[in-house]
Amino acid sequence: MSLPQALLDSLSQVTGYQADSFIKTHELGESPTSIRINPDKINTPPAHLNIQSPVLWNQYGYYLNARPAFTFDPYFHAGTYYVQEASSMFLEYAVKQSVDLDEDLRVLDLCAAPGGKSTLLASLLSPDSLLVSNEVIKSRANILVDNMSKWGLTNTYVTNNDPKDFSRIGGYFDLIVVDAPCSGSGLFRRDPEAVVEWSLDNVAMCSQRQQRILADVWDSLKEGGILLYSTCSYSEAENETIMDWVVDNLSAKNVVLDKKDTDTIQQWGIVRTESPDHKAIGYRFYPDQAKGEGFFLAAFQKTKADYKPFHRPHIKPQRTKSFKHEKSVLSQWITDLENYMWFEKNDNFYLINPEHQSDLKILQSNLYIKKAGILLGQIGAKDLIPEHELALSTILSEQVPILNVSYEQAIAYLRKDDFVPDTDQRGWCGIAYEEHILGWGKALGNRFNNYYPKELRILSRLP
């Protein structure tokens, strides 16, 4: 790989940059593969992934000895793990050092697609916390919905809004994560084609866009709330310069994450850096020093509210029909149904944490929501017609029949191919591989209907 000379020249005075090892690492082009498990579905990484070692700054992250064909791994499609670049998993450390995870928080992941940081946040937050994952690009928002559905939790919402729209709910969020769109130089090893698209002009454009995004979303952070800003860029203009801009323009103070762990950070190969003007502290990942790709993260606390404080509205109980039939049906599909709030909209039933009833109303009134809690399905005369989201959720009742299939049958199911499993079951059943549910099927005597979503099916065949 031949790196842009303009990039190398621009890094010559940047903290932590070591030219010879940096260039050599990129010339080798060997990028580590890492995954992060879903602790609500599995306790240890699947043995077949050939784990090499843990990611030191993330309790659920692991490096692999080699990159497998994730497309043909049923565990991946069941949402038991997420394939995520190791450096970006540093977000867990930043969250733990900057907020109290024992509290019930309102969290926004502003630029969330495809879902790596959102699934990481979801695994850290308390059940009564609420995570709003936003993506402004509609097609990418659909991918985000799929990945959050795989993660299977009730306290995650997905929105499809411009950052400016969040100013409508001033002071709502306790924590905002902005993994900002950037020039992408930190990912050159993973995406060599991105090298030809890099330029100093693009860096300058990204820096301006990053400032605009931060300014647009700032009002929605409460006074005393935390902003975590990150990029996958090496450029000062998108990192240290942005730190100074935040302090100058957003009534914010820098939060030092490693006051007690400076030695640990250094042992991990993470570089502590300072902004030119305010000496704000940020954290840089170089691939020749830390085991991961290029990454940057800095934390800030809001010191003053420049808006009318947000007041949560009182939600009056609404008189509705008893839903006696619906409750009877849903109780057969959902564990401890009485612990949740469920409702109907456009003939579909949804389930959320009852603590989030007012939150749902607030968000619906101000934003476009693509996903709220768990989409259960539609209720017919006798039974539920279940949605794929329910199959992948963590609330599914043990009463629901499960059909375990072989690896070959699991791949056929994920391809949406026709196959007839050997079973005496009748009706709806969860199709599972080694007890991990992939989706729904319906056994009808000599016939079996495959209900895996067409848009998610595997298009290629086993090598």
Side-chain angles (χ1 to χ4, degrees):
M1 180 187 298
S2 179
L3 296 173
Q5 188 59 49
L7 171 65
L8 300 179
D9 291 342
S10 71
L11 295 180
S12 61
Q13 301 301 314
V14 174
T15 301
Y17 173 66
Q18 299 174 7
D20 290 344
S21 59
F22 181 84
I23 294 170
K24 183 177 180 180
T25 298
H26 282 85
E27 287 176 344
L28 292 173
E30 298 174 355
S31 181
T33 299
S34 50
I35 59 112
R36 181 174 38 77
I37 65 170
N38 183 345
D40 290 287
K41 292 191 175 183
I42 56 175
N43 296 319
T44 57
H48 66 272
L49 288 182
N50 194 10
I51 299 300
Q52 181 188 87
S53 60
V55 175
L56 297 176
W57 45 84
N58 185 284
Q59 62 182 320
Y60 303 122
Y62 298 87
Y63 296 102
L64 307 186
N65 280 308
R67 187 178 185 88
F70 292 114
T71 300
F72 298 105
D73 185 3
Y75 274 74
F76 171 75
H77 296 281
T80 65
Y81 67 87
Y82 190 96
V83 183
Q84 186 175 25
E85 198 283 306
S87 298
S88 64
M89 296 186 201
F90 185 66
L91 176 64
E92 177 185 298
Y93 180 87
V95 170
K96 287 182 173 179
Q97 297 299 314
S98 58
V99 301
D100 184 355
L101 288 172
D102 290 331
E103 294 183 0
D104 298 329
L105 305 172
R106 299 297 179 264
V107 179
L108 171 63
D109 185 4
L110 183 65
C111 311
K117 291 180 176 62
S118 282
T119 52
L120 183 154
L121 290 165
S123 295
L124 295 178
L125 299 174
S126 66
D128 288 340
S129 293
L130 177 64
L131 172 62
V132 177
S133 302
N134 180 72
E135 175 55 47
V136 65
I137 301 173
K138 186 175 181 180
S139 59
R140 286 171 56 82
N142 292 332
I143 297 171
L144 179 60
V145 167
D146 292 337
N147 283 322
M148 296 311 294
S149 296
K150 280 183 185 179
W151 222 242
L153 303 180
T154 60
N155 61 342
T156 63
Y157 293 10
V158 174
T159 56
N160 179 206
N161 286 83
D162 187 271
K164 187 68 174 178
D165 296 339
F166 288 90
S167 63
R168 301 168 188 161
I169 48 175
Y172 178 79
F173 293 105
D174 301 286
L175 170 66
I176 296 179
V177 175
V178 179
D179 185 40
C182 67
S183 60
S185 53
L187 300 180
F188 280 172
R189 288 198 304 174
R190 288 177 55 188
D191 185 13
E193 294 182 3
V195 176
V196 299
E197 300 176 4
W198 187 92
S199 69
L200 290 174
D201 286 343
N202 190 34
V203 168
M205 181 190 71
C206 287
S207 181
Q208 291 296 316
R209 180 169 55 183
Q210 289 150 3
Q211 293 171 30
R212 184 176 68 251
I213 289 172
L214 292 170
D216 284 347
V217 78
W218 187 248
D219 276 355
S220 66
L221 183 65
K222 77 174 188 180
E223 185 173 348
I226 297 295
L227 169 75
L228 296 177
Y229 171 81
S230 64
T231 74
C232 54
S233 168
Y234 296 119
S235 297
E236 267 191 315
E238 299 177 80
N239 298 324
E240 286 85 353
T241 301
I242 294 294
M243 287 199 287
D244 278 336
W245 182 89
V246 169
V247 176
D248 283 333
N249 293 275
L250 297 181
S251 301
K253 68 176 182 180
N254 177 234
V255 176
V256 179
L257 300 175
D258 65 332
K259 284 183 178 179
K260 300 179 180 179
D261 296 320
T262 303
D263 290 342
T264 301
I265 291 288
Q266 291 176 345
Q267 290 169 5
W268 290 344
I270 301 168
V271 174
R272 201 177 197 251
T273 183
E274 292 184 351
S275 65
D277 297 336
H278 295 288
K279 307 305 178 185
I281 300 297
Y283 303 87
R284 279 181 167 268
F285 286 71
Y286 293 100
D288 54 315
Q289 299 175 55
K291 194 173 180 179
E293 301 305 324
F295 185 66
F296 173 88
L297 185 142
F300 300 91
Q301 184 175 42
K302 191 168 193 172
T303 57
K304 184 175 68 174
D306 301 320
Y307 53 85
K308 185 177 179 180
F310 176 80
H311 295 289
R312 188 174 298 277
H314 175 67
I315 304 298
K316 296 181 179 179
Q318 297 180 349
R319 293 185 178 182
T320 60
K321 63 180 182 178
S322 66
F323 286 114
K324 184 176 181 180
H325 167 63
E326 290 84 352
K327 183 177 181 180
S328 175
V329 170
L330 292 177
S331 63
Q332 300 174 46
W333 292 80
I334 298 164
T335 301
D336 300 325
L337 179 64
E338 64 276 6
N339 292 337
Y340 301 98
M341 175 189 168
W342 47 275
F343 60 93
E344 181 184 17
K345 183 179 181 181
N346 299 329
D347 297 326
N348 284 305
F349 281 80
Y350 298 80
L351 181 144
I352 64 170
N353 185 324
E355 296 295 323
H356 301 155
Q357 184 177 0
S358 63
D359 296 281
L360 179 62
K361 189 174 183 67
I362 293 163
L363 297 173
Q364 283 179 324
S365 299
N366 294 282
L367 302 167
Y368 174 62
I369 298 178
K370 289 187 68 70
K371 166 180 159 56
I374 304 295
L375 173 57
L376 305 176
Q378 297 184 352
I379 295 180
K382 296 182 179 180
D383 201 359
L384 177 72
I385 304 171
E387 281 284 344
H388 183 63
E389 237 180 88
L390 177 58
L392 296 178
S393 75
T394 57
I395 60 171
L396 196 64
S397 172
E398 293 182 358
Q399 300 179 52
V400 177
I402 301 299
L403 176 60
N404 277 288
V405 298
S406 67
Y407 176 78
E408 291 74 17
Q409 289 174 326
I411 297 302
Y413 174 77
L414 293 168
R415 283 183 46 79
K416 209 171 172 59
D417 290 342
D418 292 330
F419 73 100
V420 181
D422 183 15
T423 179
D424 294 329
Q425 293 183 16
R426 295 292 183 272
W428 290 105
C429 56
I431 306 303
Y433 176 70
E434 297 185 352
E435 307 298 329
H436 297 293
I437 300 176
L438 304 171
W440 297 114
K442 197 169 189 180
L444 303 166
N446 295 327
R447 186 161 54 90
F448 175 81
N449 288 347
N450 184 339
Y451 282 89
Y452 194 71
K454 183 179 180 180
E455 65 275 12
L456 299 180
R457 72 191 188 280
I458 296 174
L459 299 178
S460 52
R461 294 191 176 276
L462 279 167

